[in-house]
Amino acid sequence: MRTGQYTRRAFLETTVTAGATLALVRTWSPMAFLWSAPQAADSRIEILLNEPIGRIAPEIYGHFIEHLGGVIYDGVWVGEDSKIPNIGGIRRALVEAMREIKPGVVRWPGGCFADAYDWRDGIGPRQRRPRRTNFWVDNREWRDVGIVPQKYEPNHFGTHEFIRFCRLIGAQPYIAANLRTLPASVFHQWIEYCNSPPGSTTWAEVREANGDREPFNVRYWGVGNESWGCGGNFTPEEYAAEFRRFTTWAVPDYGVGLRFIAAGPSGRDLEWTRRFFAKIAERRAFDRLWGWALHHYSSFSGGEAVNYDATGWYELLQSADLMESLITAHWQVMGESDRQRRVRLVVDEWGAWYRMTTNLHPTHLFGQQSTIRDAVLAGLTLDTFNRHADKVAMANVAQLINCLHSLFLAHEEKFVRTPTYYVFAMYADHQEGQAVRAIFSAPRASWTDRNGRPQSFWGLNGSASVKENVVTLTVTNPHLSEARTTEIFIRGAAIASARATILTARRLQDCNTFEHPRAVVPREEDVPIRAPVVVYSFPPASVTKLRLVLS
Ligand code: AHR
């Protein structure tokens, strides 16, 4: 499971001191940005309106919640009787914040948890639902912490609660089904429970008795998760046979237009893709395969969320930037068998994965803080998806709250939005836009790696999309100390006005805490037009959105 320079297994094998997990890290070594904006333009962005790439699916701006640590319990679900403001048990502050960023889709209930979950445990009166051992109970990072409630799944958050959460925030549900420990029939019953018309089947009646007469119309169904690992340790050939067994013919559609997503590779495992696709082609089973789920977590050799140096900054971004070549490489391999290009990529887990030293509470397995580095990582990754809008149909950052690369941190009544949240807010304008090609030219950022070798990274990158007479241009500047003064042209149109939204930080280690919730937030400014160009200086270590209105 190598992702970037550091393995996920290495993270999982690091031990955690209980004291360090009890509070946010407060003793960062400050590393202030030292920079001054150069006067003359040294960079250029050209937007080519006549080179469309594809429609940017709202599902690219997707999220992921798993029954893992503090994601569901203490994160999304606080319970109806809680003193924490809630809507039917769901944290109200989370719902309000999510509505602002127009989430396209939410994936649930895992992750690895999905292949241990029986959906029938999560329906019916809450106080009568069974308590089960959570998949993550024996995780090494939890082992030394003792007994924590989240190791035992109370099933208070089940299918109805998930659907209610999706409806409250305006997102489509994406359910990952259990392929490892339950038979296909139980998967089909779950679909029937969610989607069969009122009164039509016994499962529709049970759904109604449990409070929802109208069907949930769940369109996206994952068939297992990481089936090469926690999802069953299958070979690609074995998994292809399972996937066909779970999805062929027998699954009724109920007019929903079901979209099945198969468990794709981890990172650069092209063999998993090649061999699975070859098996699907052999049985001509592409009609049931809508999406191919790629997972890629970014990491670096230091592994710390907040205490990192310049090398840690660039190494992590370099690891995230692998997404570009992962998409093109897997896409090429998929095309060897899927000649008609029926299947789309679904990057249903992505984000930064650090050592667990900044989690808010010992129950928050894999909880981590988020800095401007995570915001730049999110920006460059979302830009990558936009640039491949013809290939990527969905993506889900892992995970929404109290976990890896989260948009929110919460504990009891405390709640804060991370810098990554603001990137999603800024990028929401891209949704349903037409992605167009943009050419970025900028001096490369250079640094020295831990072995003393010189390294370099692109100087500016981003994506552009068009909706009516507005172009949304998003740009990341990865340089730690240099602004990039940039001339921006739109080929085939003139710019009437421009407004910028900029996210950066005073110091690399700045993050939003309960005590200082607005340490890293975006600011806005008008940008003067110097026809025919806009000249804009992108600050170092920043994510910027430019809203360009065409005349
Ligand atoms: O997001 C955490 C875990 O990472 C997921 O459960 C699993 O799919 C992946 O290995």
Side-chain angles (χ1 to χ4, degrees):
M1 284 205 283
R2 184 168 283 276
T3 53
Q5 295 82 4
Y6 200 59
T7 62
R8 283 163 56 188
R9 188 177 300 276
F11 279 118
L12 297 174
E13 285 172 357
T14 54
T15 48
V16 152
T17 53
T21 65
L22 289 171
L24 284 172
V25 172
R26 290 197 183 80
T27 52
W28 309 307
S29 57
M31 188 164 113
F33 293 138
L34 297 169
W35 68 281
S36 59
Q39 297 303 306
D42 61 4
S43 306
R44 183 185 158 100
I45 300 172
E46 192 165 1
I47 300 168
L48 311 177
L49 292 183
N50 58 350
E51 293 198 31
I53 299 168
R55 171 185 166 270
I56 297 176
E59 289 86 344
I60 285 178
Y61 292 82
H63 302 275
F64 172 36
I65 54 172
E66 176 167 6
H67 291 245
L68 187 171
V71 178
I72 301 293
Y73 304 108
D74 206 22
V76 179
W77 180 257
V78 296
E80 280 170 320
D81 303 329
S82 170
K83 63 179 189 322
I84 302 163
N86 66 83
I87 307 173
I90 296 167
R91 187 183 285 274
R92 178 181 289 276
L94 174 66
V95 170
E96 288 169 357
M98 286 299 278
R99 278 181 184 155
E100 291 173 31
I101 62 169
K102 304 193 189 86
V105 64
V106 182
R107 177 176 184 240
W108 169 83
C112 294
F113 177 86
D115 276 298
Y117 180 62
D118 188 332
W119 67 272
R120 296 165 299 186
D121 291 344
I123 57 172
R126 248 173 248 125
Q127 62 284 6
R128 281 201 243 132
R129 295 185 192 171
R131 195 167 60 255
R132 307 283 188 209
T133 306
N134 188 295
F135 168 87
W136 294 100
V137 65
D138 284 333
N139 189 270
R140 289 188 65 172
E141 288 177 289
W142 254 357
R143 207 174 45 196
D144 303 331
V145 179
I147 294 186
V148 296
Q150 279 87 336
K151 289 182 179 179
Y152 301 97
E153 172 57 50
N155 281 302
H156 287 176
F157 190 89
T159 305
H160 292 257
E161 290 80 9
F162 171 60
I163 296 295
R164 192 154 7 101
F165 177 54
C166 290
R167 286 178 177 167
L168 283 169
I169 65 175
Q172 292 213 54
Y174 165 19
I175 293 183
N178 181 341
L179 174 119
R180 178 171 64 88
T181 61
L182 289 176
S185 58
V186 179
F187 170 49
H188 298 160
Q189 286 161 13
W190 201 359
I191 296 176
E192 189 170 288
Y193 185 81
C194 289
N195 294 349
S196 60
S200 64
T201 65
T202 300
W203 280 120
E205 285 168 8
V206 179
R207 183 186 69 225
E208 187 170 348
N210 287 333
D212 281 288
R213 178 174 160 74
E214 295 309 316
F216 298 147
N217 295 331
V218 180
R219 171 181 257 195
Y220 297 113
W221 292 88
V223 184
N225 167 76
E226 297 194 348
S227 302
W228 38 264
C230 65
N233 202 13
F234 294 110
T235 66
E237 291 78 16
E238 289 165 347
Y239 175 60
E242 290 297 310
F243 178 85
R244 290 197 310 265
R245 205 160 59 80
F246 268 59
T247 58
T248 306
W249 285 324
V251 193
D253 191 81
Y254 304 111
V256 171
L258 297 179
R259 291 177 166 179
F260 294 122
I261 297 161
S266 171
R268 197 168 289 281
D269 186 355
L270 296 177
E271 273 309 285
W272 179 264
T273 297
R274 182 170 284 116
R275 286 165 55 185
F276 176 89
F277 269 66
K279 276 286 155 195
I280 294 292
E282 205 175 282
R283 305 298 305 155
R284 295 192 183 85
F286 282 117
D287 57 329
R288 285 312 225 179
L289 178 59
W290 177 81
W292 182 235
L294 164 68
H295 288 183
H296 172 53
Y297 286 100
S298 309
S299 52
F300 76 109
S301 49
E304 289 289 335
V306 175
N307 286 319
Y308 56 88
D309 56 12
T311 306
W313 167 274
Y314 287 115
E315 271 185 3
L316 186 85
L317 297 186
Q318 206 173 35
S319 170
D321 198 45
L322 287 176
M323 187 64 82
E324 173 78 33
S325 64
L326 293 179
I327 291 171
T328 51
H330 284 289
W331 185 253
Q332 191 185 337
V333 171
M334 287 157 69
E336 291 170 7
S337 301
D338 176 19
R339 299 268 163 74
Q340 294 174 31
R341 289 291 186 197
R342 298 191 196 195
V343 188
R344 291 285 174 271
L345 274 165
V346 170
V347 187
D348 63 15
E349 288 185 31
W350 68 268
W353 192 321
Y354 305 120
R355 290 182 207 282
M356 201 175 74
T357 53
T358 55
N359 55 330
L360 296 172
H361 194 264
T363 60
H364 294 186
L365 185 65
F366 305 151
Q368 59 188 40
Q369 249 298 359
S370 201
T371 66
I372 188 66
R373 182 175 59 163
D374 299 281
V376 173
L377 191 163
L380 76 85
T381 304
L382 292 171
D383 283 325
T384 306
F385 297 149
N386 291 342
R387 291 197 302 269
H388 292 285
D390 53 334
K391 310 177 190 69
V392 180
M394 188 197 290
N396 310 71
V397 61
Q399 301 194 9
L400 185 67
I401 182 165
N402 288 340
C403 196
L404 311 167
H405 211 139
S406 292
L407 277 72
F408 309 97
L409 300 175
H411 180 48
E412 296 172 347
E413 68 278 18
K414 296 182 190 134
F415 179 80
V416 68
R417 303 173 189 202
T418 69
T420 296
Y421 170 83
Y422 293 106
V423 175
F424 274 80
M426 289 161 64
Y427 278 55
D429 285 349
H430 278 303
Q431 293 185 24
E432 301 204 77
Q434 175 65 241
V436 293
R437 199 159 80 87
I439 303 167
F440 293 77
S441 329
R444 290 178 72 81
S446 309
W447 84 97
T448 307
D449 70 17
R450 292 192 200 282
N451 301 315
R453 286 183 307 231
Q455 299 281 352
S456 72
F457 195 65
W458 44 256
L460 280 184
N461 210 345
S463 65
S465 68
V466 194
K467 257 189 254 173
E468 296 171 358
N469 68 330
V470 176
V471 171
T472 299
L473 172 68
T474 45
V475 179
T476 53
N477 176 3
H479 204 291
L480 275 175
S481 55
E482 291 177 14
R484 293 270 81 94
T485 300
T486 307
E487 292 180 336
I488 301 162
F489 295 82
I490 299 189
R491 203 190 282 174
I495 303 168
S497 68
R499 190 160 174 81
T501 311
I502 312 107
L503 185 68
T504 188
R506 269 189 322 114
R507 300 172 314 159
L508 282 187
Q509 294 82 6
D510 283 350
C511 43
N512 296 336
T513 62
F514 298 145
E515 296 78 16
H516 302 286
R518 296 186 56 78
V520 187
V521 293
R523 63 185 162 82
E524 290 196 20
E525 64 189 23
D526 281 328
V527 182
I529 312 292
R530 294 188 214 159
V533 300
V534 166
V535 179
Y536 191 74
S537 186
F538 296 99
S542 67
V543 184
T544 304
K545 174 182 75 173
L546 287 175
R547 185 173 192 277
L548 306 169
V549 179
L550 306 180
S551 44

